[in-house]
């Protein structure tokens, strides 16, 4: 009698690739990335152009690994900072496997959407996935974007055929289907980053972004793009971690707004940021922030470089 053959273990076929998440400002790119990762790596606010740097969020699971590049939203740039953000956004597509173009399906197409479609038609080696986001909101304008793509493709004689997915990053609908499609489109291959890495975004910039998010939530359109956070020092040798940093503004009149009455707003922002950062890093945090006027910092190359924007 013959011995039964030992059962052979079939190793799963891994897929891995880089995904550039692009689109105009305030279409929900950061919210979508955070939803897909199940963790917060990008700050979110209702104010356009919240993301200023290119943030890598890394999803690792049994199917493989997706590396998301969450880019600044394209917008009409008036300052050096705005121009740098647009340059980062445009360049992010080069060398990636998939361009994930996020579109606001609750509003009609704008000139930046037209520009992104034309840009992606020039990248025949990059697969394009168009996400009609905000499907939970009205009006329903998804067909307008499909028609815009068809019109531009006919005008340019482009053979680039995008894959279309409808999602709501806020509610999570369509996100499982989006992940399944992304894993189908990226090539077979080993992990690009270690399994336990969620982001390679520098810790100082992450902490600064969380503080900035808290200010955005309060100040809305009043001040946000004149405000930046520079984290000077992180002492993680004991708990709570001690973090010291500067809140930059451009005008003396803005200093009082950022401080609030008797420093109340600064204190509120510090407390809310400490709570979020404690959850993110799993250790207690203590922030020590002060406000500094740096005239026209958005036009100062050296300040922009220090803040990681240049």
């Amino acid at each position: 009698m013959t011995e039964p053959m030992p059962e052979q273990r079939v190793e799963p076929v891994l897929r891995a690739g880089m995904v550039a998440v692009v689109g105009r400002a305030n279409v929900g790119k950061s919210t979508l990335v955070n939803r897909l990762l199940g963790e917060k790596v990008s700050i979110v606010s209702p104010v356009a152009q919240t993301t200023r740097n290119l943030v890598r969020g890394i999803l690792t699971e049994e199917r493989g690994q997706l590396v998301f590049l969450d880019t600044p939203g394209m917008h009409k740039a008036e300052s050096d900072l705005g121009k740098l953000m647009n340059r980062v956004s445009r360049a992010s597509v080069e060398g990636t496997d998939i361009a994930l173009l996020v579109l606001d399906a609750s509003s009609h197409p704008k000139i930046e959407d037209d520009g992104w479609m034309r840009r992606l038609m020039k990248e025949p080696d990059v697969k394009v996935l168009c996400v009609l986001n905000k499907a939970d909101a009205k009006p329903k304008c998804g067909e307008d974007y499909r028609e815009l793509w068809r019109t531009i493709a006919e005008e340019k004689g482009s053979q680039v055929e995008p894959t279309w997915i409808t999602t709501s990053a806020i509610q999570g609908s369509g996100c499982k289907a989006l992940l399944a499609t992304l894993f189908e489109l990226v090539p077979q291959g080993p992990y690009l980053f270690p399994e336990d890495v969620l982001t390679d975004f520098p810790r100082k910039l992450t902490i600064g972004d969380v503080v900035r998010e808290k200010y955005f939530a309060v100040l809305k359109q009043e001040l946000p793009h004149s405000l930046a956070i520079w984290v000077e020092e992180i002492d993680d040798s004991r708990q709570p971690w001690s973090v010291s940093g500067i809140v930059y503004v451009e005008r003396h009149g803005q200093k009082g707004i950022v401080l609030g009455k008797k420093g109340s707003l600064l204190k509120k922002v510090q407390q809310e940021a400490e709570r979020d950062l404690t959850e993110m890093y799993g250790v207690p945090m203590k922030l020590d922030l002060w406000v500094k006027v740096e005239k026209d910092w958005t036009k100062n190359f050296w300040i922009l470089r220090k803040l990681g924007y240049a």
Side-chain angles (χ1 to χ4, degrees):
M1 186 174 177
T2 58
E3 293 274 339
M5 292 289 290
E7 190 175 323
Q8 291 188 333
R9 185 170 179 267
V10 179
E11 292 291 334
V13 177
L14 293 179
R15 293 179 174 272
M18 307 282 285
V19 182
V21 185
V22 300
R24 64 176 160 92
N26 215 24
V27 294
K29 297 186 297 297
S30 296
T31 305
L32 184 62
V33 169
N34 290 341
R35 169 70 69 173
L36 296 175
L37 293 173
E39 296 277 356
K40 182 174 182 172
V41 295
S42 290
I43 65 172
V44 177
S45 91
V47 180
Q49 300 124 50
T50 302
T51 301
R52 289 177 178 168
N53 304 84
L54 190 150
V55 181
R56 286 188 183 88
I58 303 158
L59 176 67
T60 304
E61 53 155 90
E62 65 274 5
R63 288 177 289 188
Q65 191 175 75
L66 299 173
V67 181
F68 294 97
L69 310 182
D70 183 15
T71 62
M74 290 289 287
H75 61 288
K76 184 179 179 180
E78 297 178 353
S79 65
D80 289 354
L81 173 60
K83 292 172 185 175
L84 284 167
M85 288 164 63
N86 282 347
R87 197 179 308 151
V88 167
S89 195
R90 283 192 295 267
S92 66
V93 175
E94 298 172 8
T96 60
D97 299 290
I98 300 173
L100 189 67
L101 176 59
V102 184
L103 306 163
D104 182 355
S106 69
S107 69
H108 297 288
K110 292 183 169 55
I111 190 169
E112 294 90 348
D113 302 308
D114 182 294
W116 263 116
M117 290 181 182
R118 293 174 186 273
R119 168 80 174 83
L120 295 178
M121 287 181 192
K122 297 177 183 178
E123 296 286 341
D125 297 330
V126 178
K127 297 170 183 176
V128 179
L129 205 165
C130 293
V131 176
L132 297 168
N133 194 35
K134 303 190 182 181
D136 54 307
K138 292 182 179 180
K140 307 293 185 182
C141 303
E143 187 53 39
D144 293 351
Y145 290 96
R146 294 175 185 265
E147 180 59 33
L148 177 61
W149 183 280
R150 289 192 290 265
T151 300
I152 298 172
E154 185 175 347
E155 173 194 328
K156 296 294 183 183
S158 172
Q159 301 302 311
V160 176
E161 285 287 345
T163 300
W164 295 85
I165 298 274
T166 300
T167 66
S168 167
I170 292 290
Q171 295 183 345
S173 62
C175 291
K176 284 186 178 180
L178 174 56
L179 279 179
T181 303
L182 288 169
F183 275 112
E184 288 173 6
L185 293 176
V186 294
Q188 293 183 13
Y191 294 155
L192 303 173
F193 287 84
E195 292 182 48
D196 58 348
V197 174
L198 174 66
T199 180
D200 66 346
F201 196 50
R203 192 167 61 179
K204 283 187 175 182
L205 298 184
T206 299
I207 293 172
D209 266 3
V210 170
V211 174
R212 194 160 53 92
E213 178 188 49
K214 301 311 172 189
Y215 267 116
F216 274 34
V218 176
L219 298 176
K220 303 290 192 297
Q221 297 290 351
E222 185 177 2
L223 188 66
H225 302 302
S226 298
L227 183 149
I229 314 298
W230 169 243
V231 173
E232 287 204 313
E233 187 177 359
I234 303 172
D235 181 0
D236 58 3
S237 62
R238 60 183 183 276
Q239 295 190 15
W241 287 6
S242 177
V243 179
S244 59
I246 301 170
V247 180
Y248 282 117
V249 292
E250 292 189 292
R251 304 281 185 272
H252 284 283
Q254 297 167 344
K255 187 172 181 178
I257 297 173
V258 170
L259 284 169
K261 189 176 181 180
K262 296 182 178 179
S264 59
L265 180 55
L266 180 63
K267 183 177 179 181
K268 173 183 168 68
V269 164
Q270 285 185 164
Q271 290 173 342
E272 292 185 356
E274 285 169 353
R275 186 172 60 246
D276 268 24
L277 291 167
T278 295
E279 185 176 337
M280 288 173 70
Y281 289 101
V283 293
M285 293 276 185
K286 184 70 178 74
L287 295 183
D288 181 22
L289 302 173
W290 64 97
V291 182
K292 181 178 181 180
V293 178
E294 188 69 51
K295 188 178 178 182
D296 296 326
W297 71 262
T298 58
K299 299 176 183 177
N300 185 319
F301 174 80
W302 299 108
I303 295 289
L304 293 173
R305 185 171 183 178
K306 183 172 85 166
L307 293 169
Y309 303 148

